[in-house]
Amino acid sequence: MVLLAKNYKSKELLSLREIAKRELISFDFLEKIVSQLEKAKLVKGKKGAGGGYILAKSPQKITAKDIVEVLEDTMPVNCALCGKKAKCASKNVWVKVDLAIAKALKSVTLAKLIK
């Protein structure tokens, strides 16, 4: 995503092979990631000769939270599933941790990462 953000102003599409090569990522792994990002409308792709990928919106509008939510199986603490929910000593700590992580990820945009 950072490479696509750096390339955003040029409007040039980057092939998965080029991205994989430049970022030292397995092509197969990258293909799966980009598929998820495309479904989430964070990237746009064009198939065929001259095809490739570009961010679907500006780097200022894509946060680390947007990306993490698509690629990671994140779930906030759900105290409703716990038998001790009414008397749980650690519930408030985990709720604060969830909120702090979400706030931190939301504060980081791709634009900030490429400065």
Side-chain angles (χ1 to χ4, degrees):
M1 291 296 283
V2 171
L3 184 58
L4 291 177
K6 288 178 180 177
N7 197 57
Y8 182 75
K9 286 185 182 180
S10 76
K11 301 293 183 195
E12 178 187 348
L13 300 175
L14 291 175
S15 73
L16 288 184
R17 295 233 182 263
E18 178 66 19
I19 296 168
K21 179 182 170 186
R22 289 170 62 179
E23 295 294 326
L24 304 174
I25 302 171
S26 154
F27 176 82
D28 293 334
F29 179 65
L30 181 61
E31 197 170 37
K32 291 173 186 170
I33 291 171
V34 170
S35 174
Q36 292 175 286
L37 294 168
E38 192 171 20
K39 286 178 189 170
K41 298 185 181 350
L42 295 178
V43 300
K44 293 188 288 189
K46 179 182 172 191
K47 305 256 188 237
Y53 291 87
I54 191 167
L55 293 181
K57 45 190 169 182
S58 76
Q60 292 86 359
K61 293 183 179 180
I62 299 175
T63 67
K65 184 176 186 289
D66 298 329
I67 299 164
V68 168
E69 284 178 342
V70 171
L71 300 179
E72 299 294 332
D73 187 18
T74 59
M75 180 188 278
V77 175
N78 185 349
C79 293
L81 301 175
C82 178
K84 295 183 177 183
K85 65 183 174 184
K87 297 179 183 182
C88 179
S90 63
K91 175 182 175 181
N92 290 335
V93 172
W94 294 115
V95 169
K96 286 179 183 179
V97 168
D98 284 340
L99 291 173
I101 290 171
K103 183 178 178 182
L105 291 172
K106 195 171 182 179
S107 74
V108 178
T109 65
L110 285 175
K112 287 180 182 178
L113 290 175
I114 63 173
K115 282 188 176 180

